[in-house]
Each structure stands twice: as structure tokens, then as C-alpha cells.
């Protein structure tokens, strides 16, 4: 049932939207998507692809329907004459700093450079967040393993080694 739900467009959008709201993991997924967005967008712009075409490709790379729909909205606004940064700032999906850095890049003519910097910064944040999560999981795993090992011992009156020796 679950796989059928997330195969439908509405189900996929619901799941991708709610994935970004999961404590700890949602923030990690959002940062990873922003890093992929910035790096891919920078690469496509450097290769000479027009902005609208580049955004069409980038929306497939973010691997999240909610972000892809947001990029479609950004693409529509740009086609209507807006700059790149303004729709990103108002989207509430991308962090505001991304919109501001893109605005600086557009004004200074160094958009690709700033997109690469955004990608590097968010990749570092993803790496640090993943390290923090794994360091938090280690003590939890130790406790779980201790409970799993101790549970069979509590059912008997003596440890198995002691029963063998007697």
C-alpha cells in the first residue's frame, strides 16, 4: 500500500513534503538537496545552458517533488521577468541565505562562483550533521545491545555459564 501511495503524484508530494519536516533527518535532507541544487545549477550555467533550461534540469536532480514544484514556481517567475533570488527567498523551502547569496551573485555577475560556494558550505553542513547523528546513535545502539543481551539472562535464575559448571 505504501509503495502504491508514493507512486502517485499526490502521494509523492505528500511524502516528500513531510520528509523535510522530520526532526534531524528533514534538515539533513533539505541541506543535501540545496547542495545538489547549487552544484548542479552552477555546473549547468558554467556550461552555457540558459537559466530556464538549467532550472528544468536541476528540478530532476533534487530528488524531492516538493522542491521540484518549488523550482517550477521559481522558473515560472523568472519567465515572467523576476530575478532568480526573489522567488527563492519567498519560497520558504530554500534557506533565506541561499536567496541572498544568489542575489549577490546575480548583481556581481559571479552567480556560478557563489552557487559553488553555497554547494560547498551545505555539503560541509551535511557532513557535520551526519557525524553528529552517528555520534548520537552510538550510545543508543550500545544501550539497545545491552538490553538485547541482558533480556535472555533475566529469564533464568543463573547465567548459562554457571548452569554448565554445576
Amino acid at each position: 500500500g505504501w509503495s502504491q501511495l508514493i507512486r502517485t503524484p499526490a502521494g509523492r508530494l505528500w511524502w516528500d513534503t513531510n520528509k523535510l519536516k522530520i526532526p534531524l533527518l528533514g534538515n539533513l535532507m533539505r541541506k543535501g538537496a540545496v547542495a545538489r541544487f547549487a552544484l548542479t545549477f552552477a555546473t549547468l550555467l558554467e556550461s552555457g545552458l540558459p537559466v530556464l533550461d538549467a532550472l528544468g534540469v536541476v528540478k530532476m536532480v533534487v530528488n524531492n517533488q516538493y522542491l521540484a514544484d518549488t523550482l517550477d514556481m521559481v522558473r515560472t517567475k523568472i519567465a515572467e521577468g523576476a530575478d532568480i533570488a526573489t522567488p527563492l527567498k519567498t519560497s520558504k523551502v530554500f534557506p533565506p541565505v541561499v536567496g541572498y547569496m544568489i542575489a549577490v551573485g546575480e548583481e556581481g555577475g559571479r552567480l556560478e562562483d557563489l552557487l559553488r560556494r553555497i554547494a560547498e558550505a551545505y555539503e560541509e553542513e551535511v557532513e557535520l550533521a551526519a557525524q553528529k547523528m552517528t555520534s548520537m546513535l552510538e550510545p543508543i545502539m550500545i544501550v539497545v545491545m545491552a538490553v538485547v543481551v541482558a533480556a535472555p539472562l533475566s529469564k533464568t535464575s543463573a547465567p548459562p555459564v554457571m548452569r554448565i559448571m554445576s
Side-chain angles (χ1 to χ4, degrees), residues 85 89 98-111 114:
K89 285 187 233 175
V98 172
Y100 291 116
M101 288 185 73
I102 288 176
V104 169
E106 282 182 298
E107 289 173 14
R110 300 178 313 133
L111 181 58
L114 281 172

Side-chain angles (χ1 to χ4, degrees), residues 14 23-24 31 38 53 62 65-66 68 73 84 97 129 131 147 157 166:
W14 176 84
L24 299 176
K31 288 176 181 179
D53 295 339
V62 292
Q65 190 59 47
Y66 183 56
M73 180 270 304
I84 301 168
V97 71
Q131 287 174 355
V147 168
S157 58
S166 56

Side-chain angles (χ1 to χ4, degrees), residues 56-119:
V57 173
V58 169
K59 78 175 190 171
M60 292 183 277
V61 174
V62 292
N63 197 22
N64 184 302
Q65 190 59 47
Y66 183 56
L67 293 172
D69 289 351
T70 300
L71 289 174
D72 265 341
M73 180 270 304
V74 168
R75 199 168 170 231
T76 303
K77 297 284 185 186
I78 293 170
E80 293 172 354
D83 60 345
I84 301 168
T86 303
L88 282 176
K89 285 187 233 175
T90 60
S91 71
K92 294 182 180 154
V93 175
F94 291 91
V97 71
V98 172
Y100 291 116
M101 288 185 73
I102 288 176
V104 169
E106 282 182 298
E107 289 173 14
R110 300 178 313 133
L111 181 58
E112 295 87 356
D113 293 338
L114 281 172
L115 283 168
R116 287 209 179 272
R117 286 185 186 174
I118 291 169

Side-chain angles (χ1 to χ4, degrees), residues 2-21:
W2 178 256
S3 63
Q4 291 298 324
L5 173 71
I6 62 173
R7 284 185 190 160
T8 65
R12 187 70 183 165
L13 179 61
W14 176 84
W15 173 239
D16 285 347
T17 302
N18 287 309
K19 271 195 308 191
L20 298 177
K21 295 177 183 175

